[in-house]
Amino acid sequence: MNIAQVVDILDELLFEKTGSHLDFIQKSVLEGTLQDKTYSEIAIKSGYSESHVGDTASDLWKLLSELLGEKVRKANVKAILEKTNFNQVSGVIVSGIVGVTNNISVCNKTNHPKNNSPSKQKIFSPKLHLNNAPKFPYFYSRNNELSTLKDWVINQEIRLITILGISGIGKTTLSLSLIDRIKTQFDYVIYRSLRFSPTLDATLTNLLQIFSQQSEIPQSIETKIAQILDYLRKNRCLIVLDDVQMLFGSGQLAGQYKTGYEDYQLFFKLIAEVCHQSSLILNSWEKPREIARLSKDHHPVRCFVLGSLGEAAKEILNSQKLSDEETWSTLIDIYQGNPLWLEFTATLIQELFGGRVSEFLHCEMPILDEGLQSQLSQPFGRLTPAELALMTHLANQPEPVAVSQFLNKIPFSPSEIVNAVRSLGNRFLLDTQEQEQITLFSLNPVLKQYVKTQYS
Ligand SMILES: Nc1ncnc2c1ncn2[C@@H]1O[C@H](COP(=O)(O)OP(=O)(O)OP(=O)(O)O)[C@@H](O)[C@H]1O
Ligand SMILES: [Mg+2]
């Protein structure tokens, strides 16, 4: 068994104990230590500071000490792992030693007592179809999000999950990290982006080409759907369809399918309603309309709205070698913990402010890098005239406002305005807060600035 497999097993065991997986830096420390590397070498390889690597390692050894029941240190972790009987640590059913490399002998985990449904009796060797998936070098934190998603897919067997959130918040990265952690529980793992708006027919054909060994793909869409549902019943499959917003129209309220794409709605509905043992994950900037209805009908359907990366976003600033660490939380707050917005801004700070965050924060905030503006132009290009008018109105309000305060200030009918408010909510472009049982609406500083510069 190689080091990567040992790290995977420890990751699983820690997850069982703490509900959290090892993050990128913890894995780097563990792998590096098992390869006899110094903290300084691990720091160089992983792009973190040596002090951060040291702090991470110290916490990690404490965690492993609790897990393994004896004091773990950098000096003895390898020796301890070599003699550890993982059967006793985890209580998992194992099937003999499958290989020994680097002097570490660990048994292969084949089943977990919690997972006792027939579909989970073994670890699968999944057929992976991830060639079109983007590769992201780093993945920071998001342990709570991953735990929830893993619970939905593995324990609750939710058939249709939608990961929602504004562009750049990390939906693709999160779903790929989820795949990485749970892929061995599936027969098939498939990632497809819908960024070029393929028709349902094209998407179904593509899926059937993966499932079916036979070259003959049926002509009718009905038969294609029936065959796919059959594969999803007979095999445990995890399918991620990314960029689902490309199925929705521009200049229409959020989540409305473009002409010629309405049949996706039926496909997603069938995935939720028909009995099978697979999960479909949809990533989107906009909430598909049918999802709310399906949830109400108590089908195994869930929505996950992805928010700020929080303090973990400091790793992005760290990787760009920015300084003035005491001001990083302020920067993260202004840019909403959006990893992509922070990546653009960190590059700007590095190039024009010598990496000094405090220097950058002296400017009138927020400054929008050209790349960030171009990123925002995509969701804004999809808004209806009423939505745009509402965004412009909100951008000029110093305080959050209630619907009643802007109904007669925007040149659209009350119905159009109310629908625009809901639609902007379904695009994750509005901030809301409750005050004396009234909902108040506002824009976050980045969107406010963008609207002011582009539309005022
Ligand atoms: N947890 C994370 N750790 C490190 N980097 C992250 C994380 N999440 C996102 N990023 C980075 O932020 C950028 C945007 O992430 P991603 O492409 O996953 O966002 P998205 O929500 O899928 O955006 P879009 O809706 O436009 O497709 C990427 O460069 C990615 O590397
Ligand atoms: Mg994406």
Side-chain angles (χ1 to χ4, degrees):
M1 179 149 290
N2 61 34
I3 288 174
Q5 287 166 315
V6 173
V7 172
D8 275 352
I9 288 187
L10 285 174
D11 181 43
E12 276 303 311
L13 296 179
L14 280 169
F15 180 71
E16 280 163 22
K17 197 172 165 68
T18 64
S20 294
H21 279 286
L22 293 171
D23 59 22
F24 172 79
I25 176 71
Q26 288 172 316
K27 280 188 177 174
S28 304
V29 168
L30 199 48
E31 278 166 10
T33 303
L34 295 178
Q35 290 159 353
D36 298 321
K37 293 213 161 66
T38 62
Y39 287 157
S40 152
E41 287 169 322
I42 296 170
I44 291 167
K45 185 160 181 241
S46 61
Y48 291 88
S49 63
E50 191 174 340
S51 67
H52 186 61
V53 167
D55 291 347
T56 304
S58 152
D59 290 344
L60 182 61
W61 306 146
K62 278 186 209 140
L63 266 178
L64 289 180
S65 301
E66 277 174 34
L67 179 77
L68 302 172
E70 75 179 281
K71 186 139 180 62
V72 174
R73 287 169 285 114
K74 184 174 192 305
N76 68 4
V77 60
K78 200 164 167 180
I80 289 179
L81 289 177
E82 278 171 20
K83 66 177 171 66
T84 297
N85 180 344
F86 282 88
N87 304 15
Q88 283 171 5
V89 177
S90 65
V92 295
I93 301 164
V94 293
S95 63
I97 295 171
V98 294
V100 181
T101 58
N102 294 312
N103 294 329
I104 293 172
S105 26
V106 197
C107 297
N108 221 16
K109 180 172 154 185
T110 56
N111 186 26
H112 188 285
K114 263 193 304 189
N115 297 342
N116 52 8
S117 75
S119 62
K120 298 175 189 165
Q121 288 295 313
K122 58 184 179 182
I123 292 282
F124 297 93
S125 296
K127 294 189 179 68
L128 298 176
H129 293 266
L130 306 173
N131 291 346
N132 300 325
K135 302 268 179 295
F136 296 114
Y138 301 113
F139 182 77
Y140 307 129
S141 187
R142 297 281 195 208
N143 285 333
N144 292 339
E145 291 87 340
L146 284 167
S147 301
T148 303
L149 290 170
K150 183 173 173 183
D151 181 50
W152 287 354
V153 175
I154 303 297
N155 300 331
Q156 299 189 35
E157 302 191 346
I158 301 296
R159 294 182 209 133
L160 184 62
I161 294 171
T162 316
I163 303 180
L164 298 164
I166 195 163
S167 174
I169 199 71
K171 301 177 292 298
T172 303
T173 317
L174 179 67
S175 48
L176 291 174
S177 177
L178 179 71
I179 285 180
D180 202 40
R181 281 159 201 238
I182 62 176
K183 61 188 176 212
T184 53
Q185 310 258 344
F186 294 88
D187 297 299
Y188 287 89
V189 179
I190 301 168
Y191 170 92
R192 282 288 173 274
S193 165
L194 307 184
R195 71 172 73 86
F196 295 116
S197 312
T199 59
L200 178 65
D201 196 46
T203 300
L204 296 177
T205 303
N206 190 263
L207 290 176
L208 279 177
Q209 280 163 347
I210 291 173
F211 290 134
S212 146
Q213 298 306 319
Q214 69 197 45
S215 49
E216 195 89 351
I217 305 277
Q219 285 295 317
S220 97
I221 209 158
E222 220 178 323
T223 321
K224 282 182 187 169
I225 292 181
Q227 281 196 0
I228 285 181
L229 289 172
D230 204 38
Y231 283 112
L232 299 186
R233 245 189 312 272
K234 290 181 180 148
N235 302 280
R236 190 150 159 74
C237 309
L238 177 62
I239 305 175
V240 173
L241 293 183
D242 205 352
D243 303 307
V244 167
Q245 71 279 347
M246 300 318 282
L247 306 178
F248 306 135
S250 237
Q252 296 173 186
L253 295 174
Q256 290 193 355
Y257 288 85
K258 290 196 269 205
T259 311
Y261 289 83
E262 301 87 345
D263 43 9
Y264 268 101
Q265 191 166 347
L266 174 69
F267 177 57
F268 296 152
K269 190 164 176 281
L270 285 170
I271 294 281
E273 289 177 352
V274 172
C275 202
H276 57 79
Q277 54 165 334
S278 300
S279 294
L280 175 63
I281 297 181
L282 309 177
N283 291 341
S284 177
W285 300 345
E286 298 175 23
K287 189 173 186 175
R289 308 204 126 202
E290 65 278 13
I291 297 296
R293 239 186 338 265
L294 287 167
S295 309
K296 274 196 201 116
D297 292 344
H298 305 294
H299 290 297
V301 171
R302 296 275 188 286
C303 269
F304 194 95
V305 179
L306 194 56
S308 161
L309 188 55
E311 287 291 291
K314 286 185 176 173
E315 298 297 348
I316 295 175
L317 311 183
N318 191 36
S319 70
Q320 298 258 9
K321 306 208 178 341
L322 301 190
S323 53
D324 307 328
E325 200 166 337
E326 67 287 354
T327 61
W328 288 5
S329 298
T330 309
L331 189 73
I332 291 169
D333 277 356
I334 293 172
Y335 291 89
Q336 307 296 301
N338 182 307
L340 188 64
W341 295 359
L342 284 164
E343 280 176 2
F344 281 126
T345 308
T347 309
L348 182 75
I349 296 174
Q350 189 51 261
E351 282 176 15
L352 299 187
F353 295 83
R356 299 278 320 270
V357 177
S358 59
E359 198 70 16
F360 176 74
L361 289 173
H362 278 132
C363 306
E364 197 182 328
M365 281 292 122
I367 289 180
L368 307 189
D369 166 82
E370 185 273 327
L372 200 168
Q373 294 196 20
S374 133
Q375 188 71 24
L376 285 175
S377 69
Q378 298 175 41
F380 274 86
R382 302 167 71 86
L383 302 186
T384 63
E387 286 178 304
L388 210 46
L390 182 53
M391 291 296 276
T392 313
H393 179 78
L394 290 178
N396 290 300
Q397 303 309 307
E399 297 293 333
V401 283
V403 173
S404 57
Q405 289 172 280
F406 54 71
L407 268 187
N408 52 2
K409 305 241 170 70
I410 301 167
F412 287 89
S413 71
S415 307
E416 284 171 314
I417 294 174
V418 166
N419 286 329
V421 174
R422 290 182 103 175
S423 178
L424 288 171
N426 286 336
R427 297 183 200 271
F428 311 97
L429 295 177
L430 288 186
D431 282 0
T432 56
Q433 64 186 76
E434 297 291 320
Q435 214 173 70
E436 292 166 10
Q437 294 183 321
I438 294 178
T439 309
L440 302 179
F441 298 91
S442 59
L443 302 189
N444 72 50
V446 171
L447 297 184
K448 211 172 197 177
Q449 182 69 4
Y450 179 77
V451 175
K452 279 184 175 171
T453 47
Q454 300 294 317
Y455 298 103
S456 294

